[in-house]
Amino acid sequence: AQKVTQAQTEISVVEKEDVTLDCVYETRDTTYYLFWYKQPPSGELVFLIRRNSFDEQNEISGRYSWNFQKSTSSFNFTITASQVVDSAVYFCALSENRGNTPLVFGKGTRLSVIA
Amino acid sequence: SQTIHQWPATLVQPVGSPLSLECTVEGTSNPNLYWYRQAAGRGLQLLFYSVGIGQISSEVPQNLSASRPQDRQFILSSKKLLLSDSGFYLCAWSVPGGRGLEQYFGPGTRLTVT
């Protein structure tokens, strides 16, 4: 069975600090896909990134970076020089390598960035 | 480009009353459609998903039902609301048939059952 664990329920940092959000997943598939979503206070989930299991290269997009490590079944998300606008709930999700299957979401990590 | 709409944005309903939430997608054909619920301070719970008109898969037995009367329309209903039905309801879509494709979410409906 698939499972996504986000052990950090809430994190609070001061503006300009770096912060890493952890995501650990379980799957029996050898091919799978991982995602991160951001849910700001408005409520709408915003898609951030999708990675497949064959691509272990880390990715950087501005202040955001993602570290995918198959050996530890982790897909961690780092925000560098955090800003107040980064305050949100962040969800990690997993999908199997089959068509039309829903995503399995973790319970989310609430990040508060304090000015 | 594709857009997804949900209405109403907020709703306050008494216990025992019916419910109908609507979701429509524009700019794509035959999308996969999903309904999620998010209780206060908690994660996302997948309620229903649909891969085509009239095709509904239910993930959790409950007081709710879903229908897909048209290709890009997904409706969440209840005949009699319970207090536990309160929450934030999110509709999402994804490209059909693909493997491991991202879902795109609507703005959500905040339902309070009193």
Side-chain angles (χ1 to χ4, degrees):
Chain A
Q2 294 185 312
K3 187 178 177 182
V4 176
T5 301
Q6 295 180 256
Q8 304 150 309
T9 306
E10 294 192 30
I11 301 176
S12 187
V13 299
V14 176
E15 203 170 21
K16 296 184 185 177
E17 285 185 352
D18 298 347
V19 57
T20 295
L21 309 181
D22 298 333
C23 172
V24 174
Y25 61 91
E26 296 176 29
T27 179
R28 284 184 237 175
D29 289 351
T30 55
T31 301
Y32 50 89
Y33 304 84
L34 296 163
F35 307 79
W36 275 96
Y37 283 83
K38 174 182 180 180
Q39 185 180 36
S42 62
E44 183 174 343
L45 266 77
V46 178
F47 166 71
L48 295 178
I49 189 170
R50 167 184 180 264
R51 301 306 298 273
N52 71 55
S53 54
F54 291 111
D55 184 1
E56 288 194 70
Q57 277 196 332
N58 291 334
E59 180 150 344
I60 298 174
S61 176
R63 295 184 297 106
Y64 294 173
S65 62
W66 290 269
N67 183 355
F68 175 31
Q69 294 203 348
K70 262 177 134 169
S71 59
T72 56
S73 296
S74 65
F75 186 43
N76 296 339
F77 174 28
T78 297
I79 302 175
T80 304
S82 60
Q83 299 176 2
V84 173
V85 293
D86 296 326
S87 296
V89 180
Y90 291 86
F91 290 95
C92 181
L94 169 70
S95 174
E96 296 177 320
N97 187 37
R98 285 188 287 122
N100 297 327
T101 54
L103 302 184
V104 174
F105 283 85
K107 293 188 184 303
T109 298
R110 181 178 299 278
L111 173 66
S112 298
V113 181
I114 303 164
Chain B
S1 65
Q2 300 85 10
T3 54
I4 178 169
H5 304 279
Q6 284 186 248
W7 63 90
T10 59
L11 192 58
V12 180
Q13 292 281 96
V15 168
S17 64
L19 173 74
S20 181
L21 303 181
E22 191 163 341
C23 170
T24 59
V25 181
E26 294 177 359
T28 186
S29 295
N30 195 31
N32 293 340
L33 296 171
Y34 309 85
W35 277 112
Y36 291 87
R37 177 170 60 199
Q38 186 177 29
R42 301 179 71 175
L44 295 166
Q45 179 187 34
L46 177 64
L47 301 175
F48 301 95
Y49 71 97
S50 171
V51 299
I53 296 174
Q55 300 179 63
I56 309 292
S57 296
S58 173
E59 289 295 300
V60 182
Q62 59 212 320
N63 184 40
L64 302 169
S65 63
S67 63
R68 185 169 177 174
Q70 300 180 40
D71 181 41
R72 290 168 290 175
Q73 184 185 33
F74 205 23
I75 297 172
L76 183 69
S77 304
S78 174
K79 291 182 180 177
K80 286 187 178 182
L81 283 169
L82 306 172
L83 284 175
S84 57
D85 292 324
S86 293
F88 189 52
Y89 288 81
L90 287 156
C91 182
W93 74 275
S94 66
V95 173
R99 296 168 186 265
L101 295 178
E102 58 270 24
Q103 295 175 11
Y104 297 96
F105 286 79
T109 295
R110 202 164 297 278
L111 171 67
T112 304
V113 182
T114 59

